């Protein structure tokens, strides 16, 4: 059935628009979604971007859309959002939601250390710690980063040598992260509890 709806002539980048109901109702219909994804109207493309049944060719098309909201909605909602789109929006997006894209399943990990360990932006440097190939030496270097939240992320990293984790326990900005590092030996956990005045636990019990 042909849908008749009056759309505004122009959609501004900052306009907040609900997903068009009839597009959502057709969220598994590839032909309807293809027409919406290729539409000149931004509202139709934004509505298509949130639909899980969006065909892969349309995913690629909308990943390069000129409208930031189209790209962000695709990144937030579509299970096959391209990893490089997620990375680009995280690094360059100004919307507060861009920072949460690292939790998306498709966010890249491999190779980030080589790409970003020496980046001038701490938002980029911290990504190096997501790389499974990041070396303990790199993790330690980032544990001394001038940006507190880069040090915080490094303090949580189990690849960090124990001596450095212990040092970071005294850092007021990142001590709580170091205390949660699963590589911290039980003996050090107990010593930390003792210094904090927490009553001791029975021998052999977990802290």
């Amino acid at each position: 059935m042909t849908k008749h709806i009056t759309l505004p002539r122009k959609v501004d980048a900052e306009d907040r628009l609900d997903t068009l109901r009839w597009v959502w109702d057709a969220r598994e219909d590839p032909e309807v979604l293809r027409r919406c994804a290729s539409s000149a109207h931004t509202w139709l493309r934004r509505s298509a971007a949130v639909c899980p049944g969006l065909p892969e060719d349309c995913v690629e098309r909308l990943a390069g859309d000129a409208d930031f909201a189209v790209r962000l909605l695709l990144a937030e909602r579509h299970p096959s959002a391209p990893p490089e789109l997620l990375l680009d929006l995280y690094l360059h997006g100004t919307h507060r939601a861009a920072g949460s894209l690292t939790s998306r399943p498709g966010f890249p990990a491999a190779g980030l250390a080589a790409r970003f360990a020496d980046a001038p932006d701490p938002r980029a440097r911290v990504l190096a710690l997501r790389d499974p190939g990041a070396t303990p030496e790199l993790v330690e270097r980032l544990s001394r980063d001038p940006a507190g939240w880069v040090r915080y992320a490094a303090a949580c990293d189990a690849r960090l040598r124990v001596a450095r984790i212990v040092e970071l326990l005294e850092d007021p900005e990142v001590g709580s992260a170091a205390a949660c590092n699963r590589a911290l030996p039980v003996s050090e956990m107990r010593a930390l509890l003792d210094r904090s005045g927490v009553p001791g636990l029975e021998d052999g019990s977990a802290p």
Side-chain angles (χ1 to χ4, degrees), residues 33-203:
L33 296 179
R34 278 195 173 92
R35 290 198 296 272
C36 292
S38 61
S39 172
H41 203 287
T42 304
W43 198 356
L44 292 178
R45 301 197 310 280
R46 289 187 187 181
S47 297
V50 306
C51 294
L54 189 67
E56 286 302 313
D57 58 305
C58 296
V59 172
E60 294 179 10
R61 180 187 190 114
L62 294 183
D65 199 275
D67 182 69
F68 172 77
V70 169
R71 303 195 307 278
L72 181 61
L73 288 168
L74 184 73
E76 290 181 311
R77 303 285 294 277
H78 200 278
S80 298
E84 284 299 318
L85 171 65
L86 299 174
L87 179 61
D88 180 70
L89 289 174
Y90 168 81
L91 291 172
H92 305 115
T94 56
H95 192 281
R96 62 183 180 277
S100 66
L101 293 178
T102 56
S103 64
R104 296 289 294 158
F107 198 92
L112 294 182
R115 293 175 67 178
F116 298 117
D118 297 307
D121 185 351
R123 281 173 51 85
R125 286 198 304 277
V126 76
L127 293 178
L129 294 166
R130 295 179 57 87
D131 190 340
T135 64
E137 293 76 18
L138 174 59
V139 177
E140 175 151 355
R141 173 156 70 87
L142 291 175
S143 79
R144 303 177 190 279
D145 195 272
W149 55 289
V150 176
R151 296 200 310 279
Y152 190 96
C156 297
D157 198 305
R159 293 168 292 189
L160 191 60
R161 65 186 179 92
V162 171
R164 180 58 182 154
I165 299 173
V166 173
E167 289 176 0
L168 289 173
L169 292 173
E170 304 303 323
D171 184 328
E173 286 190 275
V174 306
S176 60
C180 294
N181 193 315
R182 68 178 186 271
L184 188 66
V186 171
S187 60
E188 293 292 344
M189 295 180 186
R190 291 183 181 280
L192 177 61
L193 293 174
D194 289 343
R195 291 196 299 273
S196 301
V198 177
L201 299 171
E202 294 181 4
D203 289 343

Side-chain angles (χ1 to χ4, degrees), residues 1-5 22 32 35:
M1 179 184 296
T2 302
K3 304 292 180 181
H4 297 282
I5 186 169
W22 66 267
V32 171
R35 290 198 296 272

